[in-house]
């Protein structure tokens, strides 16, 4: 057996089979190129689901991680650490928020946000105010609280009751208005539904949610786990609408590939989670914080938020041409470097993603009907073009 076959056999034997992994083993990445253990090369247009925003093995990130690993990796929030303090300061300034809480994933960041909202009202004597309004087709993570907020049955089926969340159609202001009441603590929304198939909130929707929250005293919670860190052409996607949330969650690209999540909130909410009420052993540890600081400084040095916007426009135009040419492609949607091609229902989406991989380009499926492109924000023009040509070829071959 080759090493790869041996590894795949071991994986089949012992890895928990909750993912649908093809029999290939990724070995190495540089920028927007990945290589597997057989030496096959792939153009990476998914960046680990919008995580590796500065590409693989960025020298600044590798250096920051190495330096911090040798200095101090972890001490569990019993004491302060410099990288964590500097990260909180940086993120609060960028997002115009007052406070930052750190954890290790997007689901945990959303859990923190949901617990923040519930406990805020509990603290103010509104003990029955814990209901959350969230949206159909949304995705907020896999832990039970985040799962309760997720508006897609395929993620929650079989896991028994989860509660405290009312789901209404995304974009439907009247339905949200109807769902608001004295028991509603918060509205939770993705500015662009990512897993749901790259669906930007309709114009005016986020401002309308802000208004409904202001009218009822509820909090506006924005899930920027996928859309944050410049993905949509602004540091936060919510900036496109000018809306200021009461709290927001980040993760995915925050550590450039190193796990870290964050919940940011206004100063007014600083008392909602007093000492002892919430925490995370690894949360914001010096290593994860150093990774996020390095990733943020690369975003600045390489002007990647601006690049996401500009290159996103080029990418959108390029994808529109594919929509015109290919009869199986219904539409393009997305913002910045978070884009999708929506395919006809008849197209076998997993099969298409597999053929693209075999052709040497990696994308993800989203929403059951779309090919999602979330390349690194610093992907080279040549790599992007090479990937798009392969995409166009493979889509063009669907019938033949
Ligand atoms: C990926 C994602 C999450 C969950 O993040 P994990 O790190 O997988 O827990 C939550 N919300 C949105 C919008 C996401 O895209």
């Amino acid at each position: 057996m080759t090493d790869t076959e041996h590894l795949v056999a071991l994986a089949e034997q012992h890895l928990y089979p909750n993912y649908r992994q093809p029999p290939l083993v990724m070995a190495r990445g540089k920028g927007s190129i990945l290589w597997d253990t057989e030496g096959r090369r792939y153009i990476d247009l998914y960046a680990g689901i919008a995580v590796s925003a500065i590409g693989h093995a960025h020298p600044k990130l590798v250096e920051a991680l190495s330096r911090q690993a040798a200095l101090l990796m972890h001490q569990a929030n019993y004491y302060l650490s410099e990288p964590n303090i500097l990260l909180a300061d940086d993120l609060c300034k960028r997002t115009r928020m007052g406070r930052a809480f750190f954890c290790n994933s997007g689901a945990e960041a959303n859990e923190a946000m949901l617990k923040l909202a519930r406990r805020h009202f509990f603290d103010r004597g509104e003990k029955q105010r814990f209901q959350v309004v969230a949206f159909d087709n949304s995705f907020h993570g896999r832990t039970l609280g985040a799962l309760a907020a997720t508006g897609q049955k395929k993620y929650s089926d079989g896991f028994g009751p989860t509660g405290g969340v009312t789901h209404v159609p995304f974009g439907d202001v009247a339905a949200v208005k109807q769902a608001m009441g004295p028991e509603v603590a918060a509205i939770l929304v993705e500015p662009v539904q990512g897993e749901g198939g790259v669906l930007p909130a309709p114009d005016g929707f986020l401002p309308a949610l802000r208004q409904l929250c202001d009218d009822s005293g509820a909090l506006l919670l924005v899930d920027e786990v996928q859309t944050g860190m410049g993905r949509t052409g602004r540091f936060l996607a919510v900036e496109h609408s000018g809306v200021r949330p009461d709290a927001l969650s980040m993760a995915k690209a925050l550590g450039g590939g190193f796990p870290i999540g964050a919940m940011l909130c206004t100063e007014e909410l600083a008392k909602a989670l007093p000492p002892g009420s919430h925490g995370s052993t690894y949360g914001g540890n010096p290593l994860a914080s150093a990774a996020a600081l390095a990733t943020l400084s690369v975003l600045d040095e390489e002007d990647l938020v601006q690049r996401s916007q500009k290159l996103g426009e080029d990418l959108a135009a390029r994808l529109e041409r594919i929509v015109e040419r290919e009869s199986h492609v219904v539409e393009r949607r997305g913002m910045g470097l978070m884009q999708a091609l929506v395919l006809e229902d008849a197209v076998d989406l997993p099969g298409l993603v597999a053929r693209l991989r075999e052709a040497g380009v990696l994308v993800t499926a989203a929403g059951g009907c779309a090919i999602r492109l979330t390349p690194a924000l610093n992907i080279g023009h040549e790599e992007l073009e090479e990937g798009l040509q392969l995409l166009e070829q493979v889509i063009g071959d669907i019938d033949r």
Side-chain angles (χ1 to χ4, degrees):
M1 271 206 282
T2 66
D3 284 352
T4 305
E5 280 168 6
H6 181 59
L7 287 169
V8 169
L10 280 180
E12 277 171 5
Q13 208 177 351
H14 288 303
L15 268 183
Y16 201 89
N18 59 317
Y19 300 110
R20 241 179 257 106
Q21 290 154 327
L24 66 84
V25 182
M26 283 303 173
R28 193 162 64 85
K30 184 72 198 157
S32 288
I33 307 294
L34 283 170
W35 289 270
D36 68 17
T37 46
E38 299 292 293
R40 280 181 298 240
R41 172 181 177 273
Y42 303 88
I43 306 281
D44 182 2
L45 299 187
Y46 83 116
I49 326 183
V51 166
S52 306
I54 60 171
H56 302 283
H58 193 291
K60 293 252 164 78
L61 180 54
V62 172
E63 206 269 327
L65 277 165
S66 312
R67 187 163 24 88
Q68 189 61 47
L71 210 56
L72 179 65
M73 213 182 278
H74 177 75
Q75 50 82 13
N77 292 307
Y78 276 91
Y79 306 97
L80 296 167
S81 84
E82 179 175 327
N84 193 233
I85 296 167
L86 297 181
L87 179 61
D89 178 52
D90 183 315
L91 283 178
C92 284
K93 284 181 177 140
R94 277 178 211 258
T95 61
R96 300 196 297 153
M97 286 286 152
R99 300 280 168 172
F101 165 82
F102 293 100
C103 51
N104 316 286
S105 68
E108 283 174 77
N110 286 332
E111 291 288 340
M113 205 155 61
L114 293 167
K115 285 180 74 177
L116 173 91
R118 286 182 172 215
R119 211 177 172 298
H120 169 66
F121 289 106
F122 179 87
D123 230 30
R124 302 191 344 168
E126 297 182 60
K127 299 205 163 51
Q128 295 311 310
R129 191 164 191 173
F130 56 77
Q131 197 73 17
V132 169
V133 172
F135 296 94
D136 293 342
N137 199 45
S138 61
F139 182 80
H140 298 292
R142 312 275 196 159
T143 56
L144 284 167
L147 195 61
T150 292
Q152 299 185 64
K153 270 183 70 63
K154 67 173 177 183
Y155 294 111
S156 54
D157 267 352
F159 292 106
T162 59
V165 181
T166 311
H167 289 99
V168 297
F170 187 57
D172 187 341
V173 179
V176 183
K177 196 168 184 179
Q178 191 131 52
M180 299 304 284
E183 74 291 353
V184 174
I187 298 177
L188 172 61
V189 65
E190 292 165 271
V192 182
Q193 289 190 334
E195 298 309 297
V198 187
L199 290 146
D203 277 348
F205 187 55
L206 298 172
L209 297 185
R210 178 70 274 175
Q211 189 60 50
L212 288 172
C213 284
D214 291 346
D215 294 346
S216 74
L219 303 177
L220 181 62
L221 312 178
V222 175
D223 182 342
E224 292 265 7
V225 169
Q226 188 162 156
T227 51
M229 293 295 281
R231 176 54 57 192
T232 70
R234 296 288 190 97
F235 183 70
L236 297 174
V238 80
E239 290 171 29
H240 292 284
S241 66
V243 160
R244 292 198 61 190
D246 296 290
L248 63 97
S249 54
M250 296 181 72
K252 288 206 162 87
L254 181 56
F258 196 87
I260 179 167
M263 185 274 289
L264 290 127
C265 68
T266 59
E267 184 61 29
E268 291 75 70
L269 294 170
K271 292 195 178 75
L273 295 171
S277 66
H278 192 55
S280 165
T281 299
Y282 292 131
N285 80 36
L287 192 62
S289 298
L293 278 174
T295 305
L296 288 164
S297 76
V298 171
L299 283 193
D300 293 343
E301 283 160 24
E302 301 183 14
D303 206 9
L304 293 182
V305 180
Q306 176 84 358
R307 191 169 192 273
S308 171
Q309 197 234 310
K310 289 235 171 74
L311 192 60
E313 281 169 15
D314 297 348
L315 175 60
R318 182 77 171 70
L319 294 175
E320 289 292 352
R321 290 212 297 280
I322 299 183
V323 177
E324 279 162 31
R325 258 183 246 152
E326 302 296 338
S327 58
H328 296 293
V329 185
V330 180
E331 65 166 331
R332 172 210 66 88
R333 54 193 188 212
M335 299 168 86
L337 286 174
M338 181 173 182
Q339 295 283 337
L341 283 177
V342 182
L343 294 144
E344 276 180 337
D345 283 346
V347 175
D348 161 26
L349 200 58
L352 180 59
V353 172
R355 281 196 298 285
L356 286 164
R357 183 182 68 241
E358 284 153 19
V361 59
L362 304 176
V363 302
T364 48
C369 62
I371 295 280
R372 173 177 45 177
L373 308 180
T374 52
L377 307 186
N378 62 354
I379 187 171
H381 289 280
E382 299 90 85
E383 277 112 13
L384 181 58
E385 186 49 35
E386 189 184 339
L388 290 171
Q389 278 175 20
L390 290 170
L391 183 73
E392 202 163 3
Q393 258 167 40
V394 173
I395 290 177
D397 282 345
I398 286 176
D399 264 347
R400 273 159 262 156

